[in-house]
Amino acid sequence: MRALAWSIIVVIVAAIAYWVGWREEPMPPPASAPEPAQQAPAVPEPTLGLIDDARIINADSEPGNWLAHGRTYAERRFSPLTSVHRGNVGELGLQWYRDMGTSRALEATPIVVDGIMFLTSAWSRVHAIDALSGQEYWSYDPEVPPEWGRRACCDVVNRGVAVYKGRVYVGTLDGRLVALDAATGQKVWEVDTITDRDRYYTITGAPRAAAGKVFIGNGGAEYGVRGYVTAYDAETGEQAWRFFTVPGNPSLPFEHPEMELAADTWKGGEWWEIGGGGTVWNSIVYDPDFDQVYLGVGNGSPWTRAIRSPGGGDNLFLSSIVALDVETGSMNWHYQTTPGDNWDYTAVQDMALADMMVDGALTKVLLQAPKNGFFYVIDRADGRLLRAHPFAAVTWATHVDLETGRPVENPDMDYTESEKWVLPGPLGAHNWQAMSVDVEAGLVYLPAQDNPLIYGMAEEWQETGLYKRNPGSMNLGLEFGRIAQLLVNNLETQPTPKGYLKAFDPLTGESPWTVEIPHYWNGGVLGTAGGLVFHGDALGHFNAYDKATGELLWRFNTYTSMLAPPITFEIDGTQYVSILTGTGGGDLFSGEALPPLEKTASFTYGNSGRLLTFALGGTASLPPPTAVDRTIPEQELASLDDAELAQGERLYNTYCATCHGLLVRSGGSIADLRLMTPEVHAAFRQVVLDGIYAGQGMASFGDVVTEEESARIHAYVRARAHEDREVALGNKDIPRMTWLQ
Ligand code: CA
């Protein structure tokens, strides 16, 4: 059975070859949207100076627009539009599409203001597009140094812009916040948001703008940064305040009083050296009801608390929701979802605001489904926990105690002494892919997943009790060099990975309907008053479901996997639905996914970054899909022994797997090294050590990898490729997979 399963997963799809080396897969030039004959017209002026707090607060009075990241400040991503509804959604067709010129993951939420769409693509590039035709008004390239790609844990993605008072704001992968003139795309100001450029800080999240300020956080916890959020004056770019989310070096003064409170909860480690983590890389929500800003705070650095804070403690403000006064940045309250985080359980997932009847009282609540698998309903007035029902399979904790507000950990899942499969894994039961909140129905439409990881402490720490930060790679505190071995050795006991779209009642924990998806890494969600839930999945299907029943009502095959959330808008009485295609991001296991998962559309057909817009009666079509030739070429095997290949495997997992995929199986957005051409093999050393492909985002690793180590990584890549080739050719039943036995 196991042999059959392995042979199924390495069956190779054959077709037209177009893939070379490390480069981004080449894309055809922008197609269906005709470029303007002369110079691009400026965005029509009169509409654009007017987007201010009042207009976003009253966004429901103009449902044809999508004015802010989650549509309104409440970020519910539920549209009042009804022209497209249950009865006619079957007539929905492609109106236009635009190639975005990238095969890297696209994660942005477009913002639509009076017929103009503002969005970002890979490498933090910004586009202003006519929402009726797909024609571009202007684009802005912040020229992120391509070598910064190596500093990003989860691809060179960006989740969108803020549009506010005539400006468009974007955070760049290399840590800048840029204000553009919304009419022309010209830069107005730019600030460097990074406190320490020796550490691998990145920005992938969308800035939020409110109360005259722009708010931006950062990412990089896995590489050892210390998280914080900064508020800048929207007009001038001058810094208004900065809130650190974890304490710094205890020999230095506290930056603000909350750091004194936090420092009491970190015990015994050298977190300031390792970094601490707590990055706010996704959700920042402004609440006009309380003049508060909520920060969704990320995981610890390193992941393992035995290393990070060996004396115990909650490690504030990791995995917390923190409410700050919008004017001063001082803390009003905090709620920690995962005290002493030990699993990469971020609380950075989108937060939505609503007024709900809770226990007989109309209550202003905050809703969040963080990675840890519990759905939190929190009183926005004081941070009090009201509900915390599980929304997916959870094994790390038995429940959340509503009296104490704390989760009750499952001692059987403690992985300090021996490795354990834990649910959720580090991709979470829910990640950044947006949910939609339907207040009237009292339901949330949620993209969830069961995606376990086998957790085990770093061998270095097990053997010596010591752990040293490696500045050039991820610092998880887990045994990541051996991760493939742990997976392969423990496949028999692996909980089944799968994806879901589910309707979830956050007050009762009940789920009126659930759609199972045969892959876990799917897209964000949009709900509409037309009775529909829109969702793009890993198999390339853009779907519309009946929000009352979960029945599939409409499907369009994009032949590309999706992560981004759809949006909807209306122009001259016609309702449109838009979505970006292209997967990747944080998932390094999706390549030839392990059974019973299906292969992703992007693995089969390539990762075509496109912006698609649909309307009733739309008749446009995408170019016919062509399957990627994944025939693995014959390999020249190096004459290394198993111990040397095992070292290559460890090094590959440490430095390469994050992008190029576990088991040397790429997910489709970044080069599959098993398919390297003889020319790339010949240049392998220069690529890894000299950075000759730095321009394509493959920077040199010469600072952390030696000549001999590079050769061993190369030999391991060849050996893995050879095995998968042998299985594909029918010469072998089951690949060995790992040399670390
Ligand atoms: Ca993380």
Side-chain angles (χ1 to χ4, degrees):
M1 180 60 206
R2 186 58 57 192
L4 176 66
W6 280 120
S7 62
I8 288 168
I9 63 170
V10 287
V11 168
I12 302 301
V13 180
I16 299 162
Y18 72 102
W19 202 88
V20 257
W22 265 268
R23 291 163 185 275
E24 288 192 9
E25 294 170 11
M27 293 287 298
S32 79
E35 289 300 322
Q38 284 99 31
Q39 201 183 350
V43 171
E45 270 286 7
T47 59
L48 282 170
L50 307 173
I51 307 153
D52 56 10
D53 300 66
R55 195 168 164 193
I56 301 176
I57 288 169
N58 296 308
D60 279 345
S61 67
E62 44 175 323
N65 284 324
W66 189 284
L67 292 179
H69 188 65
R71 195 178 74 80
T72 70
Y73 282 140
E75 301 220 1
R76 287 180 216 140
R77 293 177 179 269
F78 187 88
S79 169
L81 294 178
T82 55
S83 303
V84 178
H85 53 72
R86 288 185 181 99
N88 64 12
V89 69
E91 296 157 39
L92 203 60
L94 186 64
Q95 186 73 14
W96 57 263
Y97 77 92
R98 184 178 182 85
D99 277 313
M100 300 304 293
T102 184
S103 59
R104 305 300 279 265
L106 294 179
E107 299 188 348
T109 298
I111 285 178
V112 180
V113 186
D114 303 329
I116 320 297
M117 187 182 281
F118 299 92
L119 73 157
T120 55
S121 64
W123 297 104
S124 329
R125 292 173 188 135
V126 186
H127 302 266
I129 286 169
D130 180 351
L132 269 184
S133 67
Q135 182 176 303
E136 188 165 272
Y137 284 113
W138 55 257
S139 64
Y140 168 77
D141 183 351
E143 296 180 351
V144 171
E147 61 270 20
W148 221 269
R150 182 186 148 188
R151 297 179 166 225
C153 75
C154 304
D155 208 347
V156 294
V157 297
N158 188 281
R159 283 181 293 280
V161 297
V163 181
Y164 185 70
K165 297 185 177 175
R167 303 268 173 83
V168 174
Y169 300 93
V170 64
T172 68
L173 190 72
D174 59 338
R176 293 169 284 148
L177 179 69
V178 183
L180 305 172
D181 183 314
T184 64
Q186 296 295 307
K187 183 160 73 182
V188 181
W189 55 255
E190 171 181 317
V191 293
D192 182 359
T193 75
I194 302 303
T195 51
D196 180 354
R197 287 213 159 258
D198 290 335
R199 303 256 172 175
Y200 284 15
Y201 280 99
T202 48
I203 297 178
T204 58
R208 307 303 203 273
K213 298 178 184 60
V214 187
F215 311 97
I216 192 74
N218 45 52
E222 277 65 35
Y223 292 92
V225 307
R226 177 190 182 197
Y228 56 88
V229 165
T230 317
Y232 295 93
D233 183 292
E235 178 68 25
T236 64
E238 193 185 336
Q239 184 174 319
W241 49 257
R242 171 167 288 159
F243 186 90
F244 286 93
T245 55
V246 296
N249 188 330
S251 69
L252 300 173
F254 297 116
E255 289 87 351
H256 43 87
E258 294 85 354
M259 284 298 91
E260 191 169 359
L261 169 71
D264 277 346
T265 66
W266 293 65
K267 298 178 196 302
E270 291 193 329
W271 59 85
W272 63 96
E273 181 51 44
I274 296 178
T279 50
V280 181
W281 54 264
N282 185 52
S283 189
I284 301 172
V285 173
Y286 169 62
D287 182 353
D289 290 344
F290 293 94
D291 279 324
Q292 288 180 149
V293 182
Y294 307 109
L295 314 183
V297 184
N299 57 276
S301 172
W303 290 356
T304 50
R305 63 184 170 213
I307 294 172
R308 190 180 64 239
S309 184
D314 287 350
N315 292 187
L316 292 171
F317 296 99
L318 296 180
S319 308
S320 299
I321 296 164
V322 178
L324 305 180
D325 180 279
V326 73
E327 287 305 323
T328 64
S330 62
M331 188 172 74
N332 292 337
W333 54 258
H334 66 91
Y335 175 78
Q336 189 172 37
T337 60
T338 312
D341 165 48
N342 204 22
W343 306 269
D344 187 24
Y345 287 163
T346 69
V348 307
Q349 283 56 44
D350 284 1
M351 296 174 278
L353 312 182
D355 296 354
M356 291 173 75
M357 288 299 291
V358 183
D359 304 327
L362 188 65
T363 312
K364 292 185 181 303
V365 299
L366 181 152
L367 305 171
Q368 193 197 44
K371 277 186 182 179
N372 78 11
F374 293 100
F375 196 109
Y376 293 86
V377 182
I378 291 168
D379 190 328
R380 285 186 268 148
D382 53 12
R384 191 165 53 97
L385 178 66
L386 302 172
R387 294 288 190 283
H389 293 289
F391 60 87
V394 174
T395 65
W396 71 278
T398 57
H399 65 288
V400 177
D401 182 331
L402 288 185
E403 291 300 311
T404 63
R406 298 173 67 91
V408 178
E409 287 187 23
N410 178 357
D412 295 341
M413 289 292 114
D414 182 350
Y415 64 85
T416 318
E417 298 296 326
S418 62
E419 291 92 10
K420 296 278 166 58
W421 281 111
V422 180
L423 275 164
L427 283 183
H430 171 231
N431 210 303
W432 63 270
Q433 292 95 323
M435 62 186 187
S436 171
V437 178
D438 181 350
V439 173
E440 203 171 306
L443 294 173
V444 177
Y445 309 112
L446 181 66
Q449 57 189 356
D450 292 343
N451 187 22
L453 181 76
I454 186 153
Y455 287 80
M457 295 295 294
E459 265 187 340
E460 170 195 354
W461 180 84
Q462 288 182 334
E463 285 162 9
T464 65
L466 300 172
Y467 183 83
K468 191 169 171 301
R469 184 175 81 95
N470 179 351
S473 78
M474 289 200 177
N475 294 273
L476 308 181
L478 292 186
E479 185 44 52
F480 209 70
R482 266 194 314 139
I483 191 72
Q485 183 198 27
L486 289 179
L487 281 171
V488 171
N489 289 356
N490 294 284
L491 265 184
E492 297 294 342
T493 53
Q494 180 192 25
T496 307
K498 53 182 119 154
Y500 306 95
L501 173 66
K502 64 165 64 180
F504 184 82
D505 182 330
L507 295 183
T508 66
E510 283 161 15
S511 203
W513 55 261
T514 299
V515 176
E516 272 202 33
I517 304 164
H519 201 288
Y520 52 83
W521 199 229
N522 302 297
V525 174
L526 164 72
T528 76
L532 300 169
V533 175
F534 289 93
H535 184 227
D537 64 33
L539 306 183
H541 300 134
F542 186 36
N543 305 300
Y545 299 96
D546 185 330
K547 80 181 180 74
T549 63
E551 183 192 349
L552 179 66
L553 299 177
W554 172 83
R555 167 170 282 180
F556 181 91
N557 196 343
T558 72
Y559 296 98
T560 305
S561 308
M562 281 159 278
L563 296 178
I567 61 152
T568 186
F569 56 96
E570 193 172 69
I571 300 173
D572 297 334
T574 299
Q575 185 182 349
Y576 299 88
V577 181
S578 291
I579 188 168
L580 285 160
T581 61
T583 191
D587 180 26
L588 54 150
F589 300 104
S590 74
E592 289 175 274
L594 303 181
L597 296 167
E598 290 188 20
K599 289 193 186 73
T600 67
S602 291
F603 183 81
T604 305
Y605 300 108
N607 205 36
S608 302
R610 294 188 176 119
L611 172 60
L612 313 182
T613 295
F614 298 85
L616 294 177
T619 57
S621 57
L622 296 175
T626 41
V628 178
D629 183 356
R630 293 194 183 269
T631 309
I632 300 172
E634 199 168 337
Q635 302 292 318
E636 280 175 38
L637 297 178
S639 57
L640 296 185
D641 63 26
D642 276 3
E644 290 162 329
L645 285 171
Q647 195 202 0
E649 180 179 334
R650 272 180 188 281
L651 292 162
Y652 176 89
N653 289 339
T654 302
Y655 295 112
C656 319
T658 310
C659 293
H660 293 286
L662 201 68
L663 303 169
V664 199
R665 292 171 172 175
S666 161
S669 62
I670 293 179
D672 189 325
L673 303 185
R674 297 171 302 170
L675 310 183
M676 284 189 290
T677 60
E679 294 72 29
V680 180
H681 277 295
F684 192 92
R685 188 208 156 280
Q686 290 107 300
V687 174
V688 173
L689 300 179
D690 302 339
I692 60 170
Y693 285 171
Q696 285 83 48
M698 170 62 201
S700 165
F701 282 74
D703 56 330
V704 286
V705 173
T706 67
E707 184 98 25
E708 186 182 64
E709 289 172 336
S710 166
R712 288 182 183 181
I713 292 171
H714 193 185
Y716 165 71
V717 166
R718 282 207 183 269
R720 274 266 53 256
H722 174 71
E723 288 211 314
D724 284 354
R725 175 182 159 86
E726 287 294 295
V727 174
L729 291 175
N731 297 339
K732 197 172 179 182
D733 276 347
I734 180 166
R736 178 175 170 178
M737 296 298 206
T738 172
W739 283 262
L740 277 160
Q741 300 297 340

